[in-house]
């Protein structure tokens, strides 16, 4: 498939920000005339944001609009909301920094336990509002993003929550969920932020998103891709390389450099950004066999993707001591 931006108009951006502020009960805190900004093209030169309502009529679209005050934070990109925080973590802990720190996970670093949601589903921790199971929190995440932020999921796309990290929040706890898409029930590849090495003219654009739950009302903060990205089918086929054939491709293509302790393997959609001209970098979503694990020869984590139609191999790595645990 070809993956493209959904797009957001100036009017849609304005309504999204206003609706979100109301939904989190901060309409008396946020001054929409003076607290809404957008990122101008020359932000890297000036380091300054511009007021949305002053330049509203000049804007071509709503991408880059944001609210960034201590009490709450939201940032819009080309598909809708990219990151947001209602400030609840900051308020509970009494922090003086900005609510954006909640969205980026800086207030959720004291890890207690982590693992697959399917394995930890019945575990309960005491959150701000009382006890909530990992499974119940995951359902809140699915419901929130399935409803659209603000646009609905692309046709065929559902929300999946494969992993969770429980973090300490003073005298209670919170849940940090890893979020990814599924398309017609086949999961998308996902990754976390980190320092990765790529070995050809491509970059992974795998799903990267975290959602934070600290009570039973739903998501308090999140950051990452948006489910409204457009997907256009390019090629369809009912014949594919088997898992066994995929392993043979790997043995012949990469065997001399690998000794992998495999932690995860299966069929996924792998979004890959193919480097082309300076003006355009297309994201192609490939159906692939995925193998993730640790390459013990180099003590590095490795993600390998083998195209189920062509057998072409894509892979990238990160040194274990350079990144946090893979989500």
């Amino acid at each position: 498939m070809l993956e493209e931006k959904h797009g957001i108009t100036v009017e849609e951006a304005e309504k999204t920000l206003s609706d979100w502020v109301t939904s989190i009960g901060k309409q008396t805190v946020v001054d929409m005339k003076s607290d809404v900004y957008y990122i101008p093209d020359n932000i890297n030169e000036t380091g300054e944001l511009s007021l949305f309502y002053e330049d509203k009529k000049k804007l071509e679209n709503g991408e880059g609009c944001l609210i960034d005050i201590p009490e709450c934070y939201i940032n819009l990109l080309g598909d809708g909301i990219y990151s947001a925080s209602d400030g609840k973590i900051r308020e509970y802990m009494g922090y003086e920094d900005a609510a954006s720190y909640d969205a980026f996970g800086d207030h959720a670093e004291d890890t207690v336990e982590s693992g697959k949601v399917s394995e930890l589903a019945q575990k309960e921790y005491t959150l701000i509002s009382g006890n909530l199971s990992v499974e119940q929190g995951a359902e809140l995440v699915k419901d929130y993003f399935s409803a659209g932020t603000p646009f609905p999921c692309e046709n065929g796309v559902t929300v999946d929550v494969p992993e969770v990290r429980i973090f300490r929040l003073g005298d209670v706890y919170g849940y940090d969920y890893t979020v990814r898409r599924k398309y017609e029930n086949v999961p998308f590849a996902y990754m976390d932020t980190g320092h990765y090495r790529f070995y050809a003219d491509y970059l992974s654009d795998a799903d990267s998103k975290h959602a934070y739950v600290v009570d039973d009302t739903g998501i308090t903060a999140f950051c990452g891709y948006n489910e409204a990205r457009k997907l256009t089918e390019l090629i369809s086929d009912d014949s594919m390389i088997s898992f066994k054939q995929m392993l043979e491709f790997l043995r012949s293509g990469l065997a001399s450099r690998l000794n992998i302790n495999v932690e995860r393997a299966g069929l996924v959609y792998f979004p890959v950004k193919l480097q082309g001209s300076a003006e355009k970098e297309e994201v192609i979503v490939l159906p692939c066999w995925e193998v993730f694990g640790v390459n013990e020869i180099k003590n590095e984590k490795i993600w390998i993707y083998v195209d189920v139609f062509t057998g072409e191999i894509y892979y990238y790595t990160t040194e274990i001591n350079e990144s946090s645990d893979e989500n």
Side-chain angles (χ1 to χ4, degrees):
M1 295 177 284
L2 175 67
E3 183 176 278
E4 299 174 289
K5 289 182 182 179
H6 177 280
I8 184 168
T9 66
V10 174
E11 293 73 23
E12 288 170 336
E14 182 178 11
K15 185 177 187 306
T16 297
L17 295 176
S18 178
D19 289 349
W20 179 80
V21 167
T22 301
S23 73
I24 64 170
K26 295 288 175 72
Q27 59 268 41
T28 61
V29 176
V30 177
D31 185 334
M32 296 297 290
K33 298 296 182 184
S34 61
D35 290 334
V36 178
Y37 288 82
Y38 72 93
I39 301 173
D41 292 338
N42 61 348
I43 183 66
N44 292 329
E45 299 174 12
T46 67
E48 296 179 358
L49 301 174
S50 299
L51 277 171
F52 172 76
Y53 280 95
E54 284 187 1
D55 297 334
K56 175 181 170 183
K57 293 182 180 179
K58 298 188 298 184
L59 298 179
E60 295 181 359
N61 56 62
E63 187 171 352
C65 293
L66 74 159
I67 298 170
D68 188 2
I69 61 175
E71 293 81 6
C72 63
Y73 167 82
I74 182 171
N75 184 23
L76 307 183
L77 292 184
D79 303 306
I81 305 175
Y82 173 76
S83 52
S85 166
D86 61 14
K88 196 173 290 181
I89 295 176
R90 170 188 174 274
E91 292 169 7
Y92 183 81
M93 295 299 293
Y95 294 136
E96 295 184 357
D97 52 16
S100 58
Y101 285 77
D102 291 359
F104 302 137
D106 296 305
H107 293 158
E109 295 180 335
D110 188 3
T111 301
V112 175
E113 185 177 10
S114 61
K116 296 179 180 179
V117 168
S118 59
E119 296 174 354
L120 300 177
Q122 301 310 312
K123 284 207 169 187
E124 287 190 2
Y125 281 82
T126 302
L127 309 191
I128 292 175
S129 60
N131 286 359
L132 189 77
S133 72
V134 168
E135 183 177 37
Q136 288 171 323
E139 289 303 316
L140 292 175
V141 172
K142 291 179 184 178
D143 291 345
Y144 184 86
F145 292 118
S146 295
T149 54
F151 308 116
C153 296
E154 179 69 351
N155 289 339
V157 171
T158 55
V159 179
D160 187 37
V161 186
E163 302 195 11
V164 64
R165 184 178 59 85
I166 297 94
F167 59 91
R168 197 182 308 276
L169 193 63
D171 56 348
V172 296
Y173 300 89
Y175 296 141
D176 168 12
Y177 291 98
T178 299
V179 188
R180 67 175 174 185
R181 291 170 289 177
K182 281 187 173 182
Y183 180 74
E184 302 295 354
N185 213 36
V186 176
F188 270 59
Y190 64 100
M191 66 190 299
D192 212 339
T193 56
H195 302 284
Y196 298 98
R197 295 190 183 92
F198 296 87
Y199 298 89
D201 196 20
Y202 59 82
L203 294 172
S204 169
D205 199 42
D207 286 0
S208 179
K209 189 171 192 173
H210 286 264
Y212 303 90
V213 173
V214 296
D215 61 23
D216 60 4
T217 64
I219 290 176
T220 184
F222 67 91
C223 181
Y225 77 91
N226 194 295
E227 289 79 11
R229 290 178 180 177
K230 293 181 179 180
L231 299 173
T232 304
E233 184 178 295
L234 299 177
I235 298 173
S236 180
D237 200 342
D238 58 4
S239 61
M240 56 185 282
I241 295 167
S242 69
F243 191 80
K244 182 177 180 181
Q245 289 173 313
M246 178 272 294
L247 293 178
E248 292 301 323
F249 278 117
L250 294 185
R251 288 192 184 98
S252 60
L254 299 174
S256 63
R257 289 169 279 172
L258 300 179
N259 181 18
I260 301 178
N261 180 8
V262 176
E263 297 182 16
R264 183 175 72 234
L267 184 66
V268 301
Y269 281 110
F270 175 50
V272 58
K273 183 176 290 186
L274 303 176
Q275 306 291 92
S277 66
E279 295 78 22
K280 187 174 183 180
E281 294 181 349
E282 287 188 338
V283 176
I284 305 298
V285 183
L286 304 173
C288 290
W289 289 113
E290 175 194 59
V291 175
F292 164 72
V294 175
N295 180 13
E296 296 180 343
I297 292 178
K298 295 186 176 181
N299 191 35
E300 62 187 7
K301 294 182 180 180
I302 185 168
W303 292 256
I304 302 174
Y305 299 92
V306 180
D307 190 310
V308 299
F309 295 149
T310 68
E312 187 167 357
I313 299 172
Y314 304 85
Y315 71 102
Y316 56 93
T317 65
T318 182
E319 292 183 11
I320 292 177
N321 61 4
E322 287 185 351
S323 68
S324 60
D325 289 341
E326 195 271 336
N327 56 343

